[in-house]
Amino acid sequence: MSAKKKKDKSDIEPESGGEDTQSQIDGAEEAAPEVESDADQSPPADDPAALKDQLLRAMAEAENVKKRAERDKQETLKYAVSNFARDLLDVADNLSRAMAVIPEEAKDSDGPLKNFIMGVEITEKELLRVLEKHGIQRIDPMGELFDYNFHQAMTEVEDANHPP
């Protein structure tokens, strides 16, 4: 037989030494190297309690991974939107400041300036409405005690009318 042809049990021919086919098979199996596998680490198949415990642990781990992934997804969505909203608050503040510096006589005058001012007012109101729709409300901290959960200290000015 050629060396390239794959031999199975039925293809094994006795050697000239007179050994029979079964003894050649037994010798080949004994000569094969022992290979350690992960199966040696697992509990024997005849221990159903250990297998059941291993299955339950694997299922619990899969459930925990699923819950953790969902929680991470929700937090990512929540905080991604909060950064965007924080940036929009600067725009709303700038619109409010722009409206505060417009003189009253300019607001009362007729012409293109009045229409421009009305457009800025409408834009500011719409932006504030959208922010409130998504749970972002304007806080007026004047006269209130400082609360770091809601307020951001820009500068500190002593005032006799307000406690430190």
Side-chain angles (χ1 to χ4, degrees):
M1 294 197 134
S2 70
K4 293 184 180 180
K5 183 179 176 190
K6 185 176 180 182
K7 295 182 178 182
D8 63 6
K9 290 182 182 180
S10 63
D11 291 340
I12 299 176
E13 298 175 4
E15 291 182 7
S16 59
E19 295 179 23
D20 66 354
T21 306
Q22 185 61 39
S23 64
Q24 284 181 344
I25 293 171
D26 292 340
E29 289 176 352
E30 290 174 9
E34 295 276 336
V35 178
E36 280 192 40
S37 68
D38 290 338
D40 295 338
Q41 304 293 331
S42 65
D46 61 342
D47 189 7
L51 290 174
K52 182 178 180 181
D53 180 57
Q54 188 178 16
L55 174 67
L56 289 175
R57 288 179 187 274
M59 290 175 62
E61 179 65 23
E63 186 66 27
N64 288 340
V65 168
K66 182 180 173 183
K67 287 178 183 177
R68 191 177 315 120
E70 182 64 29
R71 185 175 55 242
D72 289 347
K73 178 183 169 187
Q74 293 298 326
E75 286 180 4
T76 300
L77 289 173
K78 177 181 175 182
Y79 292 116
V81 171
S82 69
N83 289 334
F84 177 69
R86 187 175 296 120
D87 292 341
L88 279 180
L89 287 176
D90 291 335
V91 174
D93 289 342
N94 288 338
L95 283 172
S96 295
R97 287 186 205 110
M99 293 305 300
V101 297
I102 297 173
E104 286 298 321
E105 57 270 0
K107 291 179 183 179
D108 295 335
S109 68
D110 289 334
L113 185 59
K114 181 176 183 175
N115 292 336
F116 177 75
I117 294 170
M118 284 179 46
V120 172
E121 285 177 341
I122 292 170
T123 303
E124 178 189 22
K125 287 177 184 177
E126 181 66 19
L127 179 59
L128 292 175
R129 186 189 66 77
V130 169
L131 290 174
E132 285 181 11
K133 177 181 173 185
H134 292 281
I136 301 169
Q137 299 175 2
R138 181 177 289 254
I139 297 174
D140 186 19
M142 297 306 290
E144 295 181 16
L145 289 175
F146 180 77
D147 183 359
Y148 61 88
N149 293 313
F150 299 109
H151 308 136
Q152 181 178 359
M154 304 300 282
T155 61
E156 186 174 327
V157 178
E158 292 196 26
D159 187 0
N161 297 334
H162 300 284

